[in-house]
Amino acid sequence: MTDAPLLVSVPGTTLRDALGTPPAGVEVVLWDFVSPPPAAHIDLVVPPYMGAADRLGALAGVTTRLVQSQSIGYDDVPGQLPPGHVFANAASVHETSTAELTLALVLAAQRGIPDFVRAATEGRWAPARHASLADRRVLLLGYG
C-alpha cells in the first residue's frame, strides 16, 4: 500500500511553472479560489498573491495542513480564514526586493525623474538640476 501524494494547490500557471517538476510523491494542481476546490483535502494551499484575504472563504469545507500566503502581511486574514486552517505569511521573502525598490524610488525622487516624466508626457523639455545622493548617507527604516 502506498501513501497518497502530497497535494499542493497553486493559483496559476506562472507559479506552477516556476516550481518546475514536482518531486515524487507530490502533485501540484491549479486552484484560483474562484472555481470550486480541486479536492476536499489539499495539504498545502497557496492562495492568489493579491486580494487573497477576500477569497479565503473558498476554503470552507476544504481541509488543509497549511495555507501559505505569498505576501508578508496578514491584513484581514483572521476575519476571513475559516476555522481549522493554519495560515503562514511569507515573511523574509520580499524584504530584499522591497528594499531595492525603496532605493530606486528614493533615487528617482531625489533626481527629479517624476518631473521629467510628467514633462515628457506633456511634450515639454524641462531641464533641471537636482541634488545627488553621491557622498551622502542613506538609512532605510522598516526594511521590508
Side-chain angles (χ1 to χ4, degrees):
M1 183 171 175
T2 61
D3 292 328
L6 182 75
L7 186 59
V8 176
S9 77
V10 296
T13 57
T14 301
L15 183 53
R16 182 198 60 200
D17 294 347
L19 292 172
T21 303
V26 176
E27 180 183 356
V28 177
V29 296
L30 295 177
W31 184 30
D32 60 6
F33 278 50
V34 175
S35 59
H41 175 78
I42 305 170
D43 295 293
L44 174 61
V45 174
V46 180
Y49 179 58
M50 302 298 286
D54 294 340
R55 298 189 212 172
L56 290 176
L59 289 164
V62 177
T63 60
T64 63
R65 291 172 62 188
L66 178 66
V67 179
Q68 176 62 61
S69 174
Q70 296 184 65
S71 65
I72 293 174
Y74 52 89
D75 296 343
D76 302 322
V77 169
Q80 300 293 329
L81 188 67
H85 294 280
V86 175
F87 180 87
N89 67 3
S92 79
V93 171
H94 301 286
E95 282 84 346
T96 302
S97 61
T98 300
E100 181 181 67
L101 177 60
T102 300
L103 184 56
L105 293 173
V106 166
L107 285 169
Q110 183 75 24
R111 301 296 289 183
I113 302 298
D115 297 333
F116 294 132
V117 170
R118 278 190 287 279
T121 60
E122 296 168 1
R124 295 184 297 110
W125 174 247
R129 291 182 184 223
H130 295 275
S132 170
L133 287 182
D135 300 321
R136 294 183 180 197
R137 290 179 186 231
V138 176
L139 172 65
L140 293 179
L141 297 175
Y143 180 77

